[in-house]
Amino acid sequence: MTRALVAALLILLAVTVQGASPMKVMLLDGESGGPWHKWQLTTPVLKKVLEETGLFQVDVVTAPPADGDFAAFGPKFEAYHAIVLNYDAPDDRWPDALKRAFESYVTNGGGVVVVHAANNAFPGWPAYNEMIGVGGWRGRTEKAGPYWFFKDGRLQSDASPGPGGSHGARVPFELTIRDTNHPIVRGLPNQWMHQGDELYARLRGPGGMTVLATAFSDPANAGSGRDEPILMVLTHGKGRIFHTTLGHDVNGMSSLDFVVTLQRGTEWVATGAVTQKVPANFPTETTVSYRADLAALDPNYTKGLNGLDK
């Protein structure tokens, strides 16, 4: 196949996708493990950045609260190309029938995007942990699986005992691409700076993921001293999963790299391809780049962009 023919096919694919009806995406929220993850503020950011691509129609589905009636909660997963999880709940929150319905959706080809603390959820649900690869908190220990990190050019594990999940203060940090050929990160710089956010470290789980990008967890900031997986992809049955540990709050989500990788990751889980271009103002290895319009969705924005941990 000639280069000209390949280029023509790619252009045709892009035109076809742009001309088609937006793909339906469910944005699931409704609970977090504590007041530090304010899904009521971050869900509007996620919805905005997905819909502005023109590729997605986003329906926000809010699960009942901890004391709510889950017997009547039955979202129609199968009606969506992808489900974006801005949600963190304990094992016993979902009834078995709801868990089975979600498993069936993914196994049969449904796409899933795991955002930040969604990897804290459901520590004892085996299928969910296979979907996310690694997770933290909610009592995860070595029983959940080993620690996973990047070293010597490959993903490695450490079965040492200890709790799963940690992070230091929210400061800017550098990401490094580990798989330049994957559609989600193809065309991105090899290194770039991410706006102040939690850098998740010491995550545990069954693994099985392909790591797209890592960040060094600095011991000077309560870190592990390892290159931790930050962006990763997995498959579960026929389903595709994109897992990003970025996005603690509106401030972290306003970083342009979070926006771009979320948009591209959602398209990939829904279609298996990425047609979106990398914006010219994507961050570099020395500078962050953020969206002031997104940062302003936080009511504390007027107190300054970087209301970060000291």
Side-chain angles (χ1 to χ4, degrees):
M1 185 178 292
T2 66
R3 291 184 179 180
L5 180 57
V6 171
L9 290 173
L10 289 174
I11 293 171
L12 179 61
L13 173 63
V15 170
T16 301
V17 170
Q18 292 172 359
S21 299
M23 293 175 281
K24 293 191 66 178
V25 172
M26 177 192 297
L27 175 49
L28 181 64
D29 68 9
E31 188 171 350
S32 68
W36 43 85
H37 291 130
K38 297 179 174 63
W39 54 268
Q40 299 92 336
L41 297 180
T42 55
T43 283
V45 177
L46 297 171
K47 179 177 171 66
K48 176 178 173 63
V49 301
L50 290 175
E51 290 192 329
E52 71 184 18
T53 66
L55 296 173
F56 312 111
Q57 174 210 317
V58 179
D59 295 337
V60 176
V61 174
T62 300
D67 59 353
D69 181 11
F70 275 82
F73 180 64
K76 297 186 181 301
F77 298 124
E78 68 280 0
Y80 294 89
H81 291 84
I83 297 170
V84 177
L85 297 174
N86 189 27
Y87 184 75
D88 168 22
D91 285 321
D92 59 358
R93 186 71 72 239
W94 283 17
D96 288 343
L98 184 56
K99 290 180 178 178
R100 288 195 299 270
F102 184 76
E103 290 177 21
S104 176
Y105 165 78
V106 181
T107 300
N108 289 313
V112 176
V113 177
V114 180
V115 178
H116 193 62
N119 73 20
N120 297 185
F122 307 120
W125 180 3
Y128 185 80
N129 286 273
E130 291 170 4
M131 294 176 200
I132 66 175
V134 287
W137 294 276
R138 290 199 181 274
R140 282 179 172 87
T141 66
E142 59 275 11
K143 294 180 180 179
Y147 297 114
W148 293 92
F149 55 95
F150 216 82
K151 185 179 180 180
D152 298 329
R154 63 185 179 89
L155 186 63
Q156 300 193 36
S157 63
D158 174 5
S160 299
S166 68
H167 63 77
R170 290 178 291 135
V171 298
F173 53 84
E174 184 182 73
L175 275 79
T176 299
I177 295 293
R178 300 298 182 176
D179 184 346
T180 58
N181 292 320
H182 196 278
I184 294 175
V185 294
R186 188 182 299 143
L188 301 186
N190 287 336
Q191 288 88 30
W192 74 82
M193 291 298 297
H194 177 67
Q195 168 67 12
D197 205 344
E198 290 179 347
L199 196 170
Y200 273 7
R202 302 183 179 92
L203 299 178
R204 314 196 70 128
M209 59 279 188
T210 296
V211 176
L212 306 184
T214 63
F216 179 68
S217 179
D218 192 344
N221 186 24
S224 64
R226 290 169 166 170
D227 289 314
E228 299 286 350
I230 302 296
L231 306 178
M232 59 204 98
V233 292
L234 305 94
T235 57
H236 187 82
K238 298 178 181 178
R240 290 179 291 269
I241 300 100
F242 171 59
H243 180 171
T244 173
T245 68
L246 303 175
H248 168 76
D249 57 5
V250 173
N251 185 69
M253 289 183 177
S254 71
S255 193
L256 186 61
D257 59 303
F258 174 85
V259 173
V260 170
T261 52
L262 178 79
Q263 291 169 334
R264 291 165 70 94
T266 304
E267 184 180 6
W268 180 78
V269 303
T271 68
V274 174
T275 62
Q276 301 168 71
K277 295 181 179 179
V278 179
N281 59 339
F282 194 86
T284 71
E285 61 181 315
T286 58
T287 59
V288 299
S289 180
Y290 73 94
R291 292 267 302 268
D293 62 319
L294 299 179
L297 294 176
D298 189 326
N300 289 320
Y301 175 68
T302 56
K303 299 178 182 178
L305 175 66
N306 288 304
L308 304 181
D309 300 322
K310 303 299 183 184

